[in-house]
């Protein structure tokens, strides 16, 4: 089907699809950030918070070791590196897409070597050393606007102007005239400066050898800008999108959010942040940098579901080794078809397969092809509800590790294996499924649904093992699943 945006953002070994909004979770490893300073100073606590954000709906974790709040104390590259290196290393080891929020070329280069996928530079790659780091790595790049001598530094707009050019006449009371005729400043000069800077810096990076597909732009809300100017810039999101780069919206808990919402406490501005994020998405922004990942994901997923037709192909592996195995597969298929914004497109035959992963008895398996408009993290919750309704007992979804399959008997096992255009890493869900390419009981049933599943999955970045090296070998065809 046709979609608004087929674009991708290339970030190291990750390719982030932008057909739907993506969330960048803010992980500040600082003592003085404006709304969450000091919460994640311990590296282990910071890593756990990053993993939690992945389960809440973050696609990217943005790790920062230097506050850029008004009046912040600059830190040395050494101090910044000491704060963030353990966290970056830990999150990369878990497979997360890690962004490093730094203006120091030395720190950016070190984090890239450790596996960070994105360099987020608040100074917009104005430092030639940072441009060199960008050219020498394959990281995604966030170019942010921060003209410290431009917007937000001019004289106050509210001035009284007296007309003294007219001939003298007897003094008499007359009203003064204010130059402040409109609620907001003129958009044109502001956007010429913001978009001109972003475009110039993007071209600087490309001249240095950076691929265009690696560049994302951020207008820098709150960085030496008046609240009125930030509103003007946000209203011009569609103009920035027209530049052809992914646009990052980083308004979370900023001062201007408080100005338009009337909320003084920065930590209490999440609902207002979500409102502005929805406006940005409606105007073409696709990356949202937020503190409250769970709230933003809930708001954006709901908005997207009711405002965009965005059906995706997916595959769910079903398995049963208890009771009426074929009946369990059929009932699970029926329940999947009843999930909101989801339907079953096709079902493979059921196959008897050898025990795998410590299971004692053979398993009946099939693969269900679905179409869904749900976010994968929402869909996995629905699949866990299917398991529960059929009597499956398993560890809490928030604590189970998809990389470590359970060995207990199961009435039904629902594994989300693959969703079109989606990749995710977390405890709750990993896409594509980390064991997809080694499971004979998934690959063989998929042959009922498409001509060449090995080629299909390989094209999607999944390494498929030769059949003799797979686990859970198919031993017999049990026939079709009668579910409708």
């Amino acid at each position: 089907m046709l979609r608004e945006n087929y674009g991708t953002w290339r970030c190291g070994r990750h390719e982030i699809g932008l057909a739907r909004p993506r969330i960048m979770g803010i992980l500040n490893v600082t003592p003085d950030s404006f709304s969450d300073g000091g919460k994640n100073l311990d590296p282990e606590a910071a890593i756990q918070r990053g993993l939690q954000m992945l389960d809440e709906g973050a696609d990217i974790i943005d790790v920062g070791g230097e506050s850029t709040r008004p009046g912040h104390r600059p830190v040395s590259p050494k101090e910044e590196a000491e704060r963030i290196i353990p966290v970056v290393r830990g999150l990369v080891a878990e497979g997360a897409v890690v962004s490093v929020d730094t203006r120091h070329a030395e720190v950016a280069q070190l984090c890239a070597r450790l596996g960070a996928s994105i360099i987020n530079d608040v100074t917009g790659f104005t430092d030639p050393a940072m441009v060199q780091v960008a050219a020498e790595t394959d990281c995604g790049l966030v170019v942010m606007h921060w003209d410290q001598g431009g917007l937000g530094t001019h004289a106050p707009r509210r001035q009284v102007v007296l007309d003294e050019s007219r001939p003298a006449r007897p003094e008499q009371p007359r009203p003064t005239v204010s130059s402040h005729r409109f609620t907001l400043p003129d958009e044109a000069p502001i956007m010429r400066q913001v978009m001109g800077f972003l475009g110039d810096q993007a071209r600087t990076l490309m001249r240095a050898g950076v691929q265009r597909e690696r560049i994302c732009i951020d207008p820098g809300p709150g960085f030496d800008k008046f609240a009125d100017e930030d509103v003007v810039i946000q209203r011009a999101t569609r103009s920035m999108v027209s530049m052809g780069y992914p646009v990052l919206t980083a308004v979370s808990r900023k001062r201007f959010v408080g100005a338009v919402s009337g909320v003084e406490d920065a930590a209490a501005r999440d609902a207002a942040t979500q409102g502005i994020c929805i406006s940005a998405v409606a105007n073409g922004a696709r990356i949202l940098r937020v503190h409250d990942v769970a709230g933003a994901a809930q708001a954006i997923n709901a908005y997207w579901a009711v405002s965009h037709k965005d059906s995706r192909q997916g595959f769910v592996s079903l398995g049963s080794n208890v009771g009426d195995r074929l009946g369990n597969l059929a009932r699970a298929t029926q329940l999947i078809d009843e999930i909101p914004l989801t339907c079953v497109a096709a079902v493979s035959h059921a196959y008897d397969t050898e025990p795998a992963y410590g299971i004692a008895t053979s398993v009946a398996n099939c693969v269900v092809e679905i179409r869904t408009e749900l976010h994968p993290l929402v869909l996995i919750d629905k699949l866990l509800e299917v398991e529960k309704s059929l009597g499956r007992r398993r560890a809490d979804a928030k604590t189970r590790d998809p990389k470590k399959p359970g060995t207990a008997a199961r009435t039904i096992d629902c594994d989300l294996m693959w969703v079109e255009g989606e990749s995710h890493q977390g405890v709750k869900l990993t896409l594509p499924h980390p064991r997809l390419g080694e499971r004979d009981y998934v690959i063989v049933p998929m042959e009922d649904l498409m001509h060449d599943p090995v080629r299909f999955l390989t094209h999607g970045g999944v390494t498929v093992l030769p059949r003799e090296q797979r686990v859970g070998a198919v031993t017999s065809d049990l026939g079709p699943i009668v579910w409708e």
Side-chain angles (χ1 to χ4, degrees):
M1 64 176 290
L2 293 176
R3 296 203 183 93
E4 287 184 357
N5 191 331
Y6 281 98
T8 58
W9 184 21
R10 297 188 182 277
C11 303
R13 60 190 176 88
H14 300 281
E15 188 173 287
I16 301 174
L18 301 177
R20 70 165 177 82
R22 302 292 175 173
I23 293 177
M24 176 185 282
I26 299 171
L27 186 60
N28 286 322
V29 191
T30 59
D32 56 347
S33 291
F34 73 97
S35 73
D36 59 354
K39 289 186 177 180
N40 300 301
L41 281 176
D42 176 67
E44 283 303 316
I47 292 168
Q48 290 306 310
R49 174 56 188 150
L51 296 176
Q52 181 184 17
M53 286 194 287
L54 291 175
D55 284 347
E56 291 173 348
D59 300 280
I60 303 162
I61 305 299
D62 189 45
V63 182
E66 179 184 32
S67 172
T68 50
R69 64 183 295 171
H72 69 281
R73 177 185 69 84
V75 301
S76 68
K78 182 178 183 295
E79 183 179 356
E80 183 183 33
E82 289 173 348
R83 290 176 180 178
I84 69 174
I85 289 303
V87 180
V88 170
R89 183 183 286 117
L91 290 173
V92 168
E94 294 291 337
V97 180
V98 176
S99 166
V100 56
D101 179 1
T102 183
R103 60 187 177 88
H104 297 121
E106 310 97 301
V107 177
Q109 185 175 53
L110 182 55
C111 289
R113 289 174 179 170
L114 290 173
S117 301
I118 299 167
I119 300 171
N120 181 6
D121 182 8
V122 296
T123 62
F125 293 87
T126 52
D127 179 358
M130 192 65 106
V131 174
Q132 183 177 353
V133 171
E136 292 174 350
T137 71
D138 59 359
C139 292
L141 310 171
V142 179
V143 181
M144 197 196 82
H145 175 270
W146 186 9
D147 184 357
Q148 300 180 54
L151 296 180
T153 60
H154 49 69
R157 290 181 293 103
R158 294 180 182 274
Q159 335 176 30
V160 174
V161 178
L162 297 178
D163 185 354
E164 298 178 351
S165 62
R166 297 178 183 178
R169 60 182 178 179
E171 291 187 8
Q172 57 183 356
R174 62 186 179 88
T176 58
V177 179
S178 172
S179 64
H180 187 58
R181 300 296 183 89
F182 302 98
T183 58
L184 290 175
D186 186 18
E187 175 183 313
I190 294 174
M191 296 314 299
R192 275 198 300 270
Q193 182 172 336
V194 172
M195 294 170 63
F197 174 87
L198 295 173
D200 287 346
Q201 294 310 111
R203 284 187 289 273
T204 296
L205 288 167
M206 287 188 284
R207 283 194 295 269
V210 173
Q211 292 177 311
R212 184 185 183 94
E213 293 77 12
R214 291 169 50 197
I215 299 173
C216 172
I217 58 175
D218 171 7
F223 283 80
D224 283 325
K225 298 176 179 72
F226 290 128
D228 285 0
E229 292 166 335
D230 275 323
V231 172
V232 168
I233 293 168
Q234 290 303 309
R235 289 182 180 180
T237 296
R238 191 165 293 279
S239 296
M240 289 183 286
V241 169
S242 71
M243 295 174 67
Y245 305 99
V247 173
L248 183 146
T249 297
V251 300
S252 187
R253 300 178 179 176
K254 294 289 179 71
R255 287 173 298 170
F256 95 93
V257 177
V260 299
S261 65
V263 180
E264 184 174 349
D265 179 14
R269 295 172 185 163
D270 290 328
T273 295
Q274 293 155 21
I276 295 171
C277 285
I278 289 173
S279 172
V281 169
N283 284 291
R286 285 294 176 268
I287 305 155
L288 310 171
R289 184 178 182 273
V290 298
H291 295 84
D292 177 19
V293 170
Q298 186 179 112
I300 295 301
N301 290 343
Y303 164 75
W304 196 256
V306 300
S307 63
H308 287 74
K309 296 179 180 180
D310 192 13
S311 176
R312 307 294 184 92
Q313 181 187 36
F315 294 97
V316 180
S317 172
L318 301 180
S320 176
N321 68 338
V322 175
D324 180 5
R325 300 184 304 167
L326 297 188
N328 293 336
L329 297 179
R331 181 56 183 152
T333 303
Q334 291 173 343
L335 293 174
I336 291 172
D337 193 54
E338 295 172 5
I339 294 174
L341 280 74
T342 303
C343 69
V344 171
V347 184
S348 74
H349 279 204
Y351 292 89
D352 202 35
T353 65
E354 293 179 351
Y357 305 121
I359 296 174
T361 61
S362 63
V363 182
N365 289 99
C366 71
V367 172
V368 177
E369 180 183 353
I370 63 170
R371 299 289 186 275
T372 185
E373 297 190 38
L374 294 178
H375 187 287
L377 284 168
V378 178
L379 179 60
I380 192 65
D381 282 337
K382 297 298 182 183
L383 293 175
L384 293 174
E385 289 177 11
V386 170
E387 289 186 349
K388 185 177 180 181
S389 69
L390 293 179
R392 172 76 188 273
R393 296 291 180 265
R394 73 182 330 164
D396 191 322
K398 294 182 179 179
T399 60
R400 72 185 183 95
D401 187 345
K403 303 181 185 68
K404 300 177 182 178
T407 60
R410 68 284 309 272
T411 308
I412 196 70
D413 186 25
C414 301
D415 282 336
L416 183 58
M417 307 303 296
W418 184 89
V419 177
E420 178 187 357
E422 295 294 337
S423 61
H424 188 78
Q425 188 73 31
V427 175
K428 183 177 180 179
L429 174 67
T430 300
L431 279 176
H433 193 286
R435 294 180 177 266
L436 170 54
E438 70 178 36
R439 294 184 171 181
D440 198 52
Y441 60 84
V442 176
I443 306 301
V444 171
M446 285 184 70
E447 293 174 356
D448 294 344
L449 306 176
M450 64 177 62
H451 171 63
D452 190 348
V454 174
R455 181 178 179 183
F456 176 88
L457 294 172
T458 301
H459 181 73
V462 177
T463 300
V464 180
L465 298 180
R467 188 162 186 184
E468 62 272 13
Q469 296 179 20
R470 300 175 196 162
V471 300
V474 169
T475 57
S476 64
D477 186 338
L478 300 177
I481 302 292
V482 181
W483 65 275
E484 290 185 291

